[in-house]
Every structure is written in structure tokens, then in C-alpha cells.
Amino acid sequence: MTKGNIRLFQPAVMTGFRRGQRRQEQHTALLKVKNVRTKGDSEFYFGKRVAYVFKGKKASSQIRSAQNPKLKSRARVMWGRVTRAHGNSGAVRAKFHPNLPAQAIGKKIRVYLYPSNI
């Protein structure tokens, strides 16, 4: 076994929101996961946790920083979950809480490989 970094997530890109011909629903984001080409491939990711990591304006205290209260970071995370497939080309739908902002369209999203259903 090789010694190297183990990635616990699969990269994805937010392509937009679920929509009809005349209106869109911001509560459901559409994601294109790397190396997923078919509806069958996307089924593996159903129920997986999804994270949108971005930088805030000001540094704030990190969670579990009781040992060092001066530890601050600009990183923020919005969590969601993959709900189902969208179309036949491997795109998936995901719900976030709170809803993703429009600035996230075209940005990187992390699709974590847990919870596992294997």
C-alpha cells in the first residue's frame, strides 16, 4: 500500500439550482461530480454528506478551540446531503442548510464518502 494523502471526498462543481422553464428552486442545488457519467454511477453518492467550503470576510474562532482561544480562521462550511439523481448524465441533486448562495455556481463542492452504505 502506498503512503500518501488519502482524500476522503470526491470533487464536484455546483452547476446551478433545480429549475423549470420559468422559475428556479433555490432549496435544491445541482452538482456535477467528477468521473460520474451515468445515472447508475450517481446512485453510489445518494445520502452522502456534501460541503461547500468558502472564505468569510473576518476571521472567527474555530470550533473546539478551547485549548487555544486565539486560533481563528476565515474558513466557513455549509453542509448538505445528496438526495437523488438529476437527469441521465450523472448530475445529482443536493439540499443544503442554509441554502447555497448564487455565488456558489461554478465553484468547487466536496462530496464526502460517508455515510457509507457498503
Side-chain angles (χ1 to χ4, degrees):
M1 192 158 194
T2 62
K3 290 186 178 181
N5 293 339
I6 298 172
R7 189 178 67 212
L8 297 176
F9 64 90
Q10 183 72 354
V13 174
M14 183 194 172
T15 57
F17 295 108
R18 179 176 159 222
R19 56 176 304 229
Q21 187 177 6
R22 291 179 186 85
R23 59 180 270 218
Q24 70 180 11
E25 305 287 345
Q26 279 96 0
H27 57 72
T28 305
L30 302 179
L31 309 177
K32 185 65 181 155
V33 184
K34 184 178 179 183
N35 296 330
V36 176
R37 305 271 187 265
T38 65
K39 194 177 206 176
D41 293 344
S42 66
E43 289 178 7
F44 171 79
Y45 295 98
F46 294 176
K48 300 286 191 269
R49 300 282 312 265
V50 183
Y52 170 56
V53 181
F54 62 100
K55 290 197 173 183
K57 188 171 182 180
K58 294 185 178 181
S60 64
S61 298
Q62 293 180 358
I63 298 173
R64 296 188 207 102
S65 63
Q67 296 87 3
N68 187 359
K70 294 181 181 177
L71 211 69
K72 295 185 182 257
S73 173
R74 286 180 53 205
R76 310 278 196 276
V77 181
M78 295 173 86
W79 288 97
R81 195 172 292 272
V82 175
T83 56
R84 56 175 290 181
H86 181 79
N88 295 315
S89 60
V92 295
R93 297 181 192 178
K95 291 202 175 230
F96 285 82
H97 185 77
N99 295 338
L100 284 182
Q103 290 95 331
I105 296 174
K107 298 283 178 31
K108 293 180 182 177
I109 308 278
R110 296 177 176 185
V111 180
Y112 283 90
L113 301 178
Y114 56 83
S116 176
N117 52 10
I118 296 175

